[in-house]
Amino acid sequence: MVAAGWPGVDAEWSREIDVVSTSAVDGTGAVRRWHLLDNGAQLTRRGLTPAGTLLCVHGNPTWSYLWRTLLAAGSDPARPWRVVAVDQLDMGFSERTGTFRRLADRINDLGDLTAALGLDGPVVTVGHDWGGVISLGWALAHPEQLAGVVLTNTAVHQPAGSRIPPALRLALHPAVHRWGTTTSDAFLRVTHSLARPPLPADVRGAYMAPYRGGAGRRAGVGNFVADIPAGPSHPSFPALTGVAEGLRTLHVPALMLWGPQDPIFSDRYLKDLLSRLPSATVHRFEGAGHLVAEDRDIAAPVFEWLAGHGPQSGPAGTDADARAGTRTGPPANPPAAGAPEPAQTPPLWAPLTALAAGPGCGDTAVAEMAADGSVARSLSWLELESSVAALAAGLQDAGVRQGSRVSLMVPPGVDLTVVLYACLRLGAVVVVADAGLGTRGLSRAVRGATPDFLIGVDRALAAAAVLGWPGRRISGQDLPAALRRLLTVETSLSGLTRRGRLSAGPTPPPEAPDPDAPAAVLFTSGSTGPAKGVLYTHRRLAAMRDTVAATLGIRPGARLVAGFAPFALLGPALGAVSVTPAMDVTAPRTLTARALADAAAAIDATVVFASPAALRNVLATRAGLDRAGHEALGRVKLLLSAGAPVPASLLADVQRLLPLAALHTPYGMTEALPVTDISLEQIRAAAADAAGTMPGAGNGVCVGRPVHGARVAVIPLAADGTAPGNDPVTAAGVTGEILVSAPHVKETYDRLWLTQRESARTAGWHRTGDVGHFDAAGRLWVEGRLGHVVTAPGGVVTPVGAEQAIERIDDVGLAAVVGVGPSGTQAVVAVVETVPPARRAGPAAPQLARRVREAARQAGAGVSAVLVVPAQPTDIRHNAKIDRTRLSRWAAAVLAGGRAGTP
């Protein structure tokens, strides 16, 4: 045992201790030798008093080496904690006992050890894999010492109706078990291979060190596997069940750090743990796997959490965190000290109910269009209210309860409107992750949200069956019996609606959900990284409705063509008649002028909402409009376009097609929609000011002034392109990260504690990750994303201003400005999509490169290289947000002499 040869381990931490065993598996008075990594003596030698003790328990087939980063962090004089990382008996460098130790024995063993150590409170247990169960068993047996629990990828219960993971089934198979776990080191090697990224050779060697020397050194590995309670008849099943049920009695802070790419302990086990510890703080490290302590830095978040939830930190978490099911820190917009209680806001569905009871109850409320231009289906306000009530009763009868998560995979239209409002009335939490995320992104989102129910069309149900998405399945339409069995579909929306209508004694409707209870998890577009779940409460959704109504003047009686899914769902909440045009909502650029006009004519539309990509295609296909189509569009009074910057030239072209419409481009994001608003006339005025001498005008997209009830500010950028401060400013000309505070800003990120903490670190504000500045007239100009700021030798360069200048060149379509090279010395590279499209990607022709450089120079950016691409890589949802991170990697490879290929 040579501790000096273990990377990341201080030799002073390694120690052995003899412990009298009280486990039944050992004889009376048996003494067992344990190996530990323990920084306690080191802290004492340095004269440091620890705040408490972290008792860290590894799983199979690792050892105390797993927790070396916690030992290092606990040895920091600024925040000393004693960290005791144990090697379980028969594991690591602890004694090989020659006995078969079951779960109850191991929990008892750990108690023997802590008694021998004289370990007193406060103790925070830390566990991984089966060490998680053992640490929790110790926690339940020592409540007087317990101050908190930390868990990483573990499980305490096998969900009903599911089998243990395939990898464990294989390891348990009689033909594989002994050879795979004991005779050979295959089980260790397979486990180590789960690291993302791969373990360095010296770290992998350290993990292997205690298990070299023959099968006798690995007997504990095989016994651990054999002790997995695969069913109720297993000897360790009662002990496991005792731990699982005991967790419901724990009332201490809990932190769960999870690697969702774990083939063993997947998100379904996290969901189970949350059902037992519903107030736990949770962070899922997207891309991390089983060895999350190796894949990501867990020491920093553990000690950050201890500072806020540990024995000296005061109250743990917030009421809002507990309601969200994940303690994630303060809400994005807490009320100011001394502020009055929030007003009681009518729930999202209140206008729908009121209109159903009014004189216009027979008027159309929601409609969807067929490809031939006819109305495929519609409901009146009374029919919509009746359908929502009946489906809510059917869903409740099927087991949907307050807090149940329901994933909705139904295209915008009548069915989605009915099921959305039925779920909200029940107090269920709707999960909306659209197909625009792509198969991989959608799978990641659905698995992370762990819905209890999944309601979808055939294609979504087939994907759920093939990809193993969680949730009991409900089809959007009645399916043939054979297909229903194949897709494991329990029932259909129409079946549930019939059940709700025909039930002789319907279940009484539940109480109205608490305004501050979770209502929806809406996923971001994934254009700036993995899509994030954004949790809204009922109060915040209602505030969004009220903000849209007050800012844009959309009142009951308005008639809305919604070419953008969120507004299709918001229509009934605004009291607006809403129609979904014939288009693929996952591909906005499929909206044609004819489809838009048909939808407008069907309800005599006064409002249209379409993304910039959709508007471009509408203009490209306007030759297909007949006189009636032009007349229908000519009656529209308001057009809204958002999701990406909307050029004034595009709006000017749209204005000719909708001559009476006021054209507005609200700025916002999934976390806060909308934030600001601006009209075409105001855009033109801002452009004139930018051409003149107004301070701050120019360099970006002018998105106007804050919407009703919102405040906007910036945190100034530092020289390294970050926004490290916490003092919001609104002075003209100061570029910084954009902050927003409003009643309709999201409650929290779902199961992303660290992300939420960062976004809310400026008290009372949500940090958007966008960069911009104000002009002297108080208008906001967006300059790009914080992560896309280029740190050139001459200073920071924000991309949007230069991109706009480049896009004014005649034969350039979309442009992107990216940085290549180390931070602080990055080269500014322009990547342009040419018109017509370039035949292949690569360096731009000299003449084009000169014009691009000159345009960028006039915008204040010195471009070092110009590359062309046939088409920019854009997000699927909006078909407009350019993936600049991907372009930067591609540009770096091309400029280094690599093959251009496709970015």
Side-chain angles (χ1 to χ4, degrees):
M1 187 169 61
V2 185
W6 305 332
V9 172
D10 188 324
E12 190 177 357
W13 300 338
S14 180
R15 60 175 292 200
E16 292 182 325
I17 180 173
D18 290 333
V19 177
V20 177
S21 173
T22 64
S23 292
V25 71
D26 292 322
T28 303
V31 176
R32 298 301 186 190
R33 173 154 290 198
W34 290 69
H35 174 256
L36 320 172
L37 293 179
D38 179 2
N39 68 346
Q42 187 179 70
L43 294 178
T44 300
R45 179 175 57 77
R46 294 177 179 176
L48 299 174
T49 302
T53 299
L54 295 183
L55 178 60
C56 303
V57 188
H58 67 85
N60 188 32
T62 56
W63 56 287
S64 56
Y65 184 69
L66 180 73
W67 307 116
R68 64 194 182 281
T69 61
L70 296 183
L71 283 141
S75 302
D76 185 343
R79 53 179 186 190
W81 274 75
R82 184 182 181 186
V83 181
V84 177
V86 308
D87 283 1
Q88 298 194 58
L89 293 175
D90 300 313
M91 303 291 288
F93 287 100
S94 285
E95 180 182 346
R96 297 315 189 248
T97 67
T99 62
F100 191 109
R101 311 187 85 81
R102 297 204 177 274
L103 175 60
D105 299 316
R106 292 193 175 280
I107 293 172
N108 191 79
D109 289 342
L110 189 59
D112 290 341
L113 171 66
T114 57
L117 289 171
L119 205 61
D120 200 359
V123 174
V124 175
T125 61
V126 184
H128 172 251
D129 190 87
W130 291 107
V133 184
I134 294 163
S135 71
L136 291 170
W138 184 95
L140 291 168
H142 298 79
E144 70 287 349
Q145 295 167 253
L146 188 67
V149 298
V150 177
L151 298 170
T152 66
N153 288 62
T154 187
V156 296
H157 174 70
Q158 184 65 28
S162 63
R163 304 176 67 188
I164 65 172
L168 292 183
R169 292 204 302 271
L170 178 63
L172 282 165
H173 193 283
V176 174
H177 174 254
R178 181 168 177 77
W179 175 86
T181 62
T182 307
T183 304
S184 77
D185 59 8
F187 191 78
L188 286 101
R189 293 186 182 279
V190 169
T191 301
H192 301 159
S193 72
L194 298 177
R196 297 164 175 262
L199 297 175
D202 56 350
V203 171
R204 193 167 60 250
Y207 273 117
M208 293 291 290
Y211 301 107
R212 293 193 175 105
R217 296 294 299 172
R218 296 185 288 271
V221 175
N223 291 346
F224 241 126
V225 172
D227 196 43
I228 296 171
S233 62
H234 192 281
S236 286
F237 188 82
L240 181 64
T241 301
V243 171
E245 294 309 310
L247 288 189
R248 303 186 193 280
T249 68
L250 277 186
H251 300 291
V252 295
L255 171 65
M256 299 180 193
L257 301 176
W258 211 261
Q261 299 301 314
D262 188 346
I264 310 298
F265 299 115
S266 61
D267 281 303
R268 67 178 178 178
Y269 295 105
L270 173 61
K271 181 181 180 71
D272 175 74
L273 284 165
L274 282 172
S275 74
R276 301 168 193 280
L277 295 169
S279 296
T281 298
V282 180
H283 188 83
R284 297 172 67 256
F285 290 97
E286 201 58 65
H290 181 68
L291 295 175
V292 64
E294 294 293 341
D295 297 349
R296 298 293 186 271
D297 171 17
I298 68 163
V302 165
F303 280 86
E304 189 175 342
W305 176 80
L306 287 171
H309 299 79
Q312 300 175 349
S313 63
T318 67
D319 289 343
D321 298 333
R323 283 190 297 271
T326 53
R327 209 180 262 143
T328 52
N333 294 282
E341 288 293 317
Q344 289 299 316
T345 303
L348 199 67
W349 57 86
L352 186 161
T353 303
L355 287 166
C361 63
D363 296 342
T364 298
V366 59
E368 58 188 60
M369 303 299 295
D372 64 1
S374 63
V375 176
R377 191 177 170 201
S378 67
L379 293 178
S380 69
W381 289 106
L382 185 59
E383 290 169 332
L384 179 57
E385 170 71 13
S386 174
S387 297
V388 168
L391 182 57
L395 287 168
Q396 188 177 14
D397 191 48
V400 177
R401 299 288 183 264
Q402 288 196 4
S404 295
R405 291 194 168 202
V406 183
S407 178
L408 303 182
M409 295 192 175
V410 181
V414 172
D415 283 339
L416 182 56
T417 301
V418 172
V419 71
L420 172 77
Y421 286 93
C423 288
L424 292 175
R425 284 194 186 185
L426 282 175
V429 182
V430 297
V431 177
V432 181
D434 65 61
L437 294 176
T439 302
R440 176 179 292 182
L442 189 57
S443 287
R444 189 163 45 216
V446 175
R447 289 197 180 103
T450 57
D452 301 286
F453 296 84
L454 189 152
I455 302 175
V457 295
D458 298 5
R459 186 170 60 178
L461 294 170
V466 171
L467 299 173
W469 293 343
R472 295 166 56 189
R473 294 170 196 161
I474 299 171
S475 60
Q477 296 177 328
D478 290 331
L479 299 176
L483 182 58
R484 191 169 63 246
R485 287 192 298 271
L486 179 66
L487 300 178
T488 62
V489 169
E490 296 183 16
T491 184
S492 66
L493 290 181
S494 55
L496 290 173
T497 301
R498 289 192 295 270
R499 187 189 306 183
R501 291 191 196 281
L502 299 176
S503 176
T507 304
E511 294 183 8
D514 186 318
D516 295 312
V521 175
L522 312 178
F523 277 85
T524 60
S525 68
S527 59
T528 56
K532 299 181 287 290
V534 178
L535 191 144
Y536 277 89
T537 61
H538 289 274
R539 187 189 303 279
R540 293 187 186 274
L541 284 181
M544 182 192 299
R545 171 202 62 201
D546 297 343
T547 298
V548 169
T551 301
L552 301 171
I554 301 177
R555 298 284 186 267
R559 297 178 296 280
L560 168 67
V561 177
F564 187 55
F567 269 76
L569 301 176
L570 203 56
L574 292 164
V577 181
S578 57
V579 61
T580 305
M583 64 179 294
D584 179 355
V585 292
T586 68
R589 58 172 61 127
T590 61
L591 179 63
T592 65
R594 178 66 181 271
L596 179 62
D598 288 341
I603 61 169
D604 195 17
T606 58
V607 183
V608 168
F609 194 109
S611 72
L615 291 180
R616 287 189 177 93
N617 198 54
V618 166
L619 292 172
T621 57
R622 59 188 158 185
L625 284 176
D626 56 17
R627 180 177 177 179
H630 278 287
E631 290 175 351
L633 295 178
R635 293 190 291 271
V636 173
K637 300 298 190 294
L638 174 66
L639 177 130
L640 307 170
S641 187
V646 189
S649 57
L650 175 62
L651 291 176
D653 289 340
V654 171
Q655 185 75 84
R656 287 187 278 274
L657 195 59
L658 284 71
L660 299 183
L663 308 187
H664 283 250
T665 65
Y667 159 69
M669 57 219 62
T670 308
E671 296 89 338
L673 183 68
V675 174
T676 65
D677 179 55
I678 192 169
S679 67
L680 176 58
E681 292 75 16
Q682 292 166 338
I683 290 172
R684 287 168 171 162
D689 290 338
T693 58
M694 175 177 285
N699 189 32
V701 175
C702 185
V703 295
R705 297 181 176 85
V707 297
H708 177 79
R711 295 183 298 141
V712 180
V714 301
I715 297 291
L717 289 186
D720 63 357
T722 64
N726 275 311
D727 296 318
V729 301
T730 56
V734 177
T735 293
E737 183 179 4
I738 299 169
L739 277 62
V740 58
S741 177
H744 63 281
V745 171
K746 58 106 170 94
E747 180 76 12
T748 186
Y749 286 110
D750 187 46
R751 301 173 184 175
L752 291 169
W753 168 58
L754 295 174
T755 307
Q756 170 63 18
R757 192 173 178 88
E758 174 61 23
S759 76
R761 66 183 170 88
T762 302
W765 297 87
H766 167 66
R767 299 181 70 125
T768 68
D770 287 342
V771 173
H773 68 275
F774 293 95
D775 63 21
R779 295 170 299 209
L780 179 66
W781 295 72
V782 176
E783 301 177 53
R785 292 286 296 171
L786 186 64
H788 299 155
V789 170
V790 181
T791 54
V796 299
V797 176
T798 54
V800 172
E803 291 168 354
Q804 287 182 309
I806 294 168
E807 287 172 356
R808 286 192 282 270
I809 298 173
D810 289 341
D811 46 358
V812 171
L814 293 176
V817 169
V818 299
V820 171
S823 178
T825 60
Q826 288 185 316
V828 181
V829 179
V831 183
V832 301
E833 176 182 303
T834 58
V835 181
R839 295 182 59 186
R840 61 176 60 89
Q847 185 178 6
L848 175 61
R850 281 195 299 272
R851 286 185 291 150
V852 168
R853 285 192 177 94
E854 177 58 24
R857 185 191 64 77
Q858 293 183 11
V863 170
S864 300
V866 181
L867 304 175
V868 297
V869 291
Q872 297 280 18
T874 59
D875 69 299
I876 302 174
R877 179 183 291 180
H878 303 290
N879 297 154
K881 294 183 178 179
I882 298 173
D883 189 341
R884 290 173 177 81
T885 303
R886 179 175 162 187
L887 275 182
S888 178
R889 290 195 300 266
W890 172 80
V894 171
L895 296 175
R899 181 174 175 272
T902 302

